[in-house]
Amino acid sequence: VDMRLPGALAAAQAEGLIPEGFNFSQAQEEAYRARQNMGTSGSIAGTVGCASGHFRAQRRGFLRNPKWLTLIFEDDVSPEDDFIPRL
């Protein structure tokens, strides 16, 4: 979900991907705190957008078949050969 687009946050909230009460400004302030180690020059928009995309994918998998397990991988994941049997 591209949070750079106008209205993207509200749309994601309306879709149920982000809680209605989510305060982006407050979350950004928290991200800037030293204990979070996220620096002070970026935005959490990418993080929020990525998480929203993951939640959307999980919902789609569930709606397709609630009995299936839906796993969301990052683009740089490299599962071991025995991943499926061990799952």
Side-chain angles (χ1 to χ4, degrees):
V1 177
D2 192 345
M3 290 295 155
R4 297 172 296 178
L5 300 176
L9 180 61
Q13 287 173 318
E15 191 178 335
L17 303 175
I18 298 173
E20 288 290 333
F22 178 73
N23 184 320
F24 188 90
S25 298
Q26 185 178 7
Q28 185 65 66
E29 282 183 36
E30 179 62 28
Y32 285 157
R33 294 182 191 268
R35 68 175 181 242
Q36 300 298 341
N37 197 28
M38 293 183 70
T40 58
S41 61
S43 172
I44 62 164
T47 302
V48 172
C50 184
S52 297
H54 289 178
F55 294 144
R56 181 182 285 153
Q58 287 176 317
R59 178 184 294 146
R60 286 180 182 167
F62 177 79
L63 292 175
R64 186 167 179 191
N65 187 332
K67 294 182 180 182
W68 289 354
L69 176 65
T70 302
L71 298 175
I72 311 301
F73 289 112
E74 294 292 335
D75 59 345
D76 60 350
V77 71
S78 181
E80 297 293 329
D81 291 338
D82 63 346
F83 172 76
I84 296 296
R86 295 181 70 195
L87 188 62

